Amino acid sequence: MVNIMPVSELKNYGKVLDTVEPDNPVFLTKNGYGKYVVIDLADYEAFEKFKKSKQLAQILKQAERSGTQPLDEVAAELLK
C-alpha cells in the first residue's frame, strides 16, 4: 500500500516515522504534489549500492566500446 501524507504531518514527525518500514516509504506532498520521500535506512543503503553498480556498469560499457581505458581513470571514477 502506498503511504502518502501531506508535509504538514511532520508537525507530529513521530507518527510519520512510525509508518516508515523497509519497502514501505512515506511520500510527502506539498500543495497536493509529491515533494519528499522518507525511506528506511536499509532501503537508502540499497539504493546507494544500486547507483554505484549502475555507474560501474556504465564505465565498463564505455571501456568495452573504446577497447581500453587506463586503470587510473577507472580507479578515479570508482572512487568518486
Side-chain angles (χ1 to χ4, degrees), residues 14-59:
K15 175 183 169 186
V16 175
L17 296 179
D18 286 343
T19 63
V20 176
E21 296 176 355
D23 298 322
N24 188 29
V26 174
F27 296 90
L28 298 172
T29 61
K30 187 172 183 180
N31 299 322
Y33 296 95
K35 185 71 176 174
Y36 307 103
V37 179
V38 181
I39 63 173
D40 181 80
L41 183 59
D43 288 343
Y44 175 76
E45 289 171 345
F47 175 72
E48 286 297 314
K49 285 181 185 177
F50 169 77
K51 281 186 0 182
K52 294 216 183 284
S53 297
K54 188 175 176 183
Q55 289 172 344
L56 178 58
Q58 289 173 341
I59 291 168

Side-chain angles (χ1 to χ4, degrees), residues 62-79:
Q62 182 181 7
E64 195 174 79
R65 276 188 241 124
S66 68
T68 61
Q69 190 168 0
L71 181 60
D72 59 334
E73 287 181 25
V74 173
E77 286 291 321
L78 292 175
L79 295 175

Side-chain angles (χ1 to χ4, degrees), residues 5-13 16 28-30:
M5 298 180 179
V7 75
S8 62
E9 288 290 321
L10 288 177
K11 291 176 186 172
N12 186 3
Y13 64 88
V16 175
L28 298 172
T29 61
K30 187 172 183 180

